[in-house]
Amino acid sequence: MTATSNGRMKTRSAERKKTRILGTVKYFNQAVEGRVTDLSPTGMALDLGGRTLHAADGSPVRIESEELGILEGTVKWRRSGRLGVQFSINSNAVAQVSSYFRFFHREVPASR
């Protein structure tokens, strides 16, 4: 969530679900392995495990995963080794994520 100009918190546009999907984030000639920690039809959060991806907010990235296929989006935020990605509107992300939830997703227990 982010603050709006009037100081109120802006909520996410879609509900995210906890996941543990391995994938690779690609930005030009960089490739960093990470783990998708939460996922929705509009975006995802990835834990890069301390690795660095030199992509600024708004940069186009590509995420490749065996479970999800290839997803394209833009970096929305970066902090503490984590990365938020918003899927591109013209991509097949909604169909791919819906298919993942329909056929593969299992609830991830809350970590302590």
Side-chain angles (χ1 to χ4, degrees):
M1 288 187 260
T2 58
T4 61
S5 60
N6 64 6
R8 292 189 178 148
M9 296 306 287
K10 179 180 162 187
T11 59
R12 290 185 173 135
S13 61
E15 180 185 351
R16 292 192 176 204
K17 297 206 180 215
K18 298 291 182 196
T19 63
R20 291 187 179 148
I21 301 169
L22 297 178
T24 302
V25 183
K26 294 186 175 184
Y27 174 67
F28 290 105
N29 62 347
Q30 297 178 64
V32 177
E33 291 184 15
R35 182 172 54 95
V36 178
T37 57
D38 66 37
L39 178 67
S40 81
T42 60
M44 66 172 55
L46 297 109
D47 183 343
L48 302 180
R51 293 172 289 276
T52 304
L53 182 72
H54 299 286
D57 291 359
S59 298
V61 292
R62 181 178 173 139
I63 299 92
E64 297 180 4
S65 165
E66 199 170 299
E67 290 90 345
L68 296 170
I70 298 170
L71 299 167
E72 295 180 346
T74 56
V75 175
K76 291 304 285 182
W77 53 265
R78 300 168 291 129
R79 60 183 159 274
S80 304
R82 292 175 47 94
L83 182 73
V85 175
Q86 181 178 16
F87 297 135
S88 298
I89 295 170
N90 62 350
S91 73
N92 290 324
V94 172
Q96 287 170 264
V97 170
S98 295
S99 177
Y100 165 77
F101 283 125
R102 190 173 314 124
F103 298 111
F104 301 107
H105 180 71
R106 286 184 223 132
E107 290 298 317
V108 174
S111 58
R112 294 180 187 194

